[in-house]
Amino acid sequence: MDDKRYLLSLIREGEHQQQDFKYRVSDACKLAKSVSAFANTDGGRLLIGVRDDGHLSGVRSEEEIYMMHQAAYKYCKPEPSIKFDTFHVDGRTIVVATVPPSDKRPICAHDEEGKPRAYIRIADENIVASPVHLALWRETQKPKGTVMTYNDTVRQLLDAIQGRQTLNQIVRLSKLPRPKVITLLARLIRFGTVQWEYTDQQFLFSLT
């Protein structure tokens, strides 16, 4: 398959959980958000030089290519794995940046002031990770033999989860300290007792 047919086959998929189009790279910090989101979720690829409607516009300058590398290696910490492939179609240069899921989560995107923030990819959006996600990533780095103890504090938390609720609602109803709720929710998600979903621009937690 030649470059054009390959790229068109990708473009026909549209933007989704593992694919994003970038018309141009004017801000390495913004691009770093997409790299962070892919690395923290299921991986994915950025088609750079492709408009939202799928039109091939091409990368316009060497400066854009430089900013791509900055997004990956300067504005993302820890440094993610990323592969850049360049394709030439109808006189235009298209760059496909492939980001595998990271085993060093969270991969944080740093803004120009150096403030880190982790993102996850949901459908075709990059969403700021919740405090529970950050705790869950810490949980998954623990040894696999770790067990879940259902003590009175855990039962108090479980009793407070009625239907689908936000983190703040669970904190208020459980009357437990917020850091404790975050840690326990992450642990309960890891062990399959609690699940999360993203609805109406908020994270909701419920019993499985």
Side-chain angles (χ1 to χ4, degrees), residues 46 52 60 65 70 84 98-99 110 136 164 184 200 203:
L46 287 156
D52 288 345
R60 297 175 179 272
I65 295 174
Q70 272 199 317
F84 294 97
T98 304
V99 183
H110 289 242
L136 181 59
R164 299 181 303 165
L184 290 178
D200 296 328
F203 291 101

Side-chain angles (χ1 to χ4, degrees), residues 102-176:
S102 176
D103 58 1
K104 299 177 182 178
R105 302 174 194 179
I107 301 295
C108 292
H110 289 242
D111 61 24
E112 292 178 342
E113 297 177 352
K115 184 178 179 180
R117 186 167 285 178
Y119 294 81
I120 59 174
R121 183 81 173 171
I122 300 177
D124 60 352
E125 294 185 80
N126 300 325
I127 309 295
V128 177
S130 75
V132 177
H133 284 94
L134 300 179
L136 181 59
W137 289 324
R138 289 193 295 270
E139 276 292 317
T140 56
Q141 292 171 9
K142 292 181 179 179
K144 290 186 178 180
T146 304
V147 296
M148 181 73 202
T149 303
Y150 288 83
N151 54 29
D152 290 343
T153 304
V154 173
R155 293 189 186 95
Q156 184 177 339
L157 175 63
L158 292 173
D159 288 343
I161 302 176
Q162 305 293 330
R164 299 181 303 165
Q165 294 167 301
T166 65
L167 172 60
N168 288 339
Q169 288 172 328
I170 295 171
V171 170
R172 186 173 66 253
L173 291 170
S174 70
K175 297 184 169 124
L176 293 169

Side-chain angles (χ1 to χ4, degrees), residues 2-58:
D2 61 26
D3 285 2
K4 184 172 184 177
R5 290 177 61 193
Y6 173 68
L7 286 174
L8 292 178
S9 71
L10 296 182
I11 290 169
R12 279 194 293 271
E13 295 180 15
E15 293 182 302
H16 52 71
Q17 178 105 352
Q18 292 180 280
Q19 182 163 282
D20 199 6
F21 297 162
K22 293 292 181 187
Y23 163 46
R24 61 188 308 174
V25 179
S26 57
D27 187 333
C29 291
K30 289 182 179 179
L31 187 62
K33 293 178 182 179
S34 293
V35 174
S36 166
F38 282 137
N40 288 330
T41 315
D42 300 320
R45 57 181 170 259
L46 287 156
L47 275 60
I48 303 166
V50 177
R51 295 179 184 269
D52 288 345
D53 62 4
H55 177 75
L56 297 175
S57 56

